[in-house]
Amino acid sequence: MTKQMMTKALRTSLNVGELAAGQSLDVPLFTFKGIDSSAPTVYVQANVHGAEVQGNAVIYQLMTLLEELEVLGDIVLAPLANPLGINQKSGEFTLGRFDPITGVNWNREYLEHKIDIAAWYEQHQDLPNDELIKSFKATLIEACHTKLQQPWGITTGHRLAVSLQSLAHQADIVLDLHTGPKSCKHLYCPEYDLDSAKFFSIPYSLIIPNSFGGAMDEAAFCPWWQLTDYAASKGRHFDVPVAAFTLELASQERIDMADALVDANGILAYLSHRGVIKQAIEPAKLSRYGCYLKDYKKFHAPQSGMVEYCATVGEPLAAGQSLVNMLRLDLYGSDKAVTPLSLDKDCVPILHFASASVHQGTELYKVMTNVFEL
């Protein structure tokens, strides 16, 4: 495309609440309007957790690339999605993982739609597929608006999350950009859509069940999977209309623009495959591996102490190899001053706790077991 034909994003904002002194909490939105009304639409958000900033860099790189491409379907991008969490600082650290008022994880505040699918389907079963999908989408959006307007009010965290969710429900593709504490890249991918994992520039995929666990991706796809599954039981078959993924883009409190470009191109490869952009973009050539969520294990500190993290995230670890060394200076002079710990099965460490000082019971590592190549 020539410079004169460059696609430009329209900037608006979404109000997600107010501070005690009356200041408005607004999330910037950038919208690329597509030229084909039949193409899939996309919603991308980043930084729901305050310290998880790399997704903002990915959105920046994605927007600069989209300016040079022919956009067919509407793309809405919401960087800086949680202004409260982003500004939740203590010294040099960002604490914005939990709502400080309620203690609830910001990414577990979305509305679980408890729609009577059987009753809804019976009322709408005579609609053709496109009208059925349009009507169900309107039902989900209206449920979000009703939640936001209920007369007894809702918590600060719910208001933020459901406001974002109302945007996500307008899209056919939802991407939620996160990071871990000390982490390698990994993708949360619903079981019914596992084939999509090969497009993103991410080596490890956690295959999640088709059920609601509280996160944005599940809030987006679960109602649609339930509808599709019920329709199939009545002899009516169509693909799940909405795709939703959580992309974990390595570690928190980190901006890496070059790495963000890699992930932006991975997203474009998926959007190209889905027909959101006209240009053909090939996925990165890399080995990809997965495991089911039930095989994603947590290792908790069996004792307190100071931790040397020995296992490198993203690299296979054989059973018996060193995971951590636990240092206890109060036990200096005994054989318990340094305790090496390992696991009894092969795994791939995906992330570990950020601090080297831990209480007994702290979640030290999350690891993939029973890993297979995709």
Side-chain angles (χ1 to χ4, degrees), residues 4-270:
Q4 290 73 27
M5 296 174 61
M6 286 177 59
T7 305
K8 286 294 186 181
L10 171 68
R11 176 167 179 166
T12 55
S13 64
L14 174 71
N15 178 258
V16 295
E18 296 177 351
L19 294 176
Q23 294 94 333
S24 177
L25 289 169
D26 297 312
V27 173
L29 301 177
F30 298 88
T31 300
F32 288 83
K33 294 296 295 181
I35 60 174
D36 182 354
S37 60
S38 67
T41 58
V42 183
Y43 172 72
V44 185
Q45 69 177 25
N47 214 173
V48 165
H49 289 139
E52 301 182 10
V53 295
Q54 177 67 3
N56 295 315
V58 172
I59 285 179
Y60 171 83
Q61 296 285 36
L62 186 58
M63 291 196 296
T64 61
L65 293 170
L66 286 170
E67 288 187 351
E68 304 292 338
L69 299 174
E70 193 164 355
V71 178
L72 303 178
D74 292 352
I75 303 173
V76 177
L77 304 110
L80 307 168
N82 183 357
L84 278 169
I86 293 165
N87 288 289
Q88 201 178 332
K89 304 289 290 188
S90 179
E92 63 184 289
F93 301 105
T94 309
L95 303 181
R97 185 170 184 82
F98 301 96
D99 181 345
I101 302 170
T102 63
V104 178
N105 186 329
W106 290 113
N107 196 37
R108 297 296 183 273
E109 298 272 27
Y110 300 102
L111 176 63
E112 180 179 7
H113 293 286
K114 297 181 179 180
I115 298 170
D116 185 336
I117 294 292
W120 190 94
Y121 183 79
E122 293 303 318
Q123 294 174 5
H124 298 83
Q125 61 182 325
D126 294 332
L127 295 173
N129 284 354
D130 57 343
E131 290 298 319
L132 185 81
I133 290 168
K134 183 178 179 180
S135 182
F136 193 67
K137 180 177 290 190
T139 298
L140 298 178
I141 295 169
E142 180 59 30
C144 289
H145 291 164
T146 299
K147 181 73 172 180
L148 291 168
Q149 296 164 7
Q150 64 182 22
W152 288 75
I154 59 175
T155 67
T156 301
H158 277 311
R159 180 166 298 281
L160 168 72
V162 178
S163 296
L164 296 171
Q165 188 176 353
S166 67
L167 287 180
H169 280 320
Q170 297 174 45
D172 304 308
I173 298 166
V174 177
L175 305 179
D176 193 11
L177 310 185
H178 285 260
T179 67
K182 300 294 183 181
S183 175
C184 69
K185 295 179 187 179
H186 53 291
L187 175 76
Y188 283 87
C189 182
E191 189 171 357
Y192 71 84
D193 204 6
L194 181 56
D195 190 58
S196 294
K198 66 185 181 184
F199 294 97
F200 298 99
S201 301
I202 294 178
Y204 295 104
S205 291
L206 290 165
I207 305 161
I208 61 177
N210 306 325
S211 57
F212 184 75
M216 169 60 95
D217 54 354
E218 298 155 341
F221 76 72
C222 282
W224 291 102
W225 182 84
Q226 292 163 1
L227 176 64
T228 308
D229 189 55
Y230 184 81
S233 74
K234 296 297 183 180
R236 182 174 183 173
H237 299 276
F238 53 90
D239 292 335
V240 180
V242 169
F245 309 92
T246 295
L247 283 65
E248 299 278 354
L249 305 168
S251 301
Q252 65 188 26
E253 298 280 31
R254 157 189 175 268
I255 288 287
D256 184 325
M257 297 298 287
D259 199 30
L261 184 59
V262 171
D263 288 309
N265 276 303
I267 291 171
L268 286 178
Y270 176 70

Side-chain angles (χ1 to χ4, degrees), residues 353-374:
F353 194 61
S355 175
S357 175
V358 304
H359 300 304
Q360 186 181 39
T362 297
E363 183 185 287
L364 291 182
Y365 271 92
K366 287 184 177 180
V367 303
M368 296 172 87
T369 64
N370 298 324
V371 178
F372 52 89
E373 189 164 6
L374 298 177

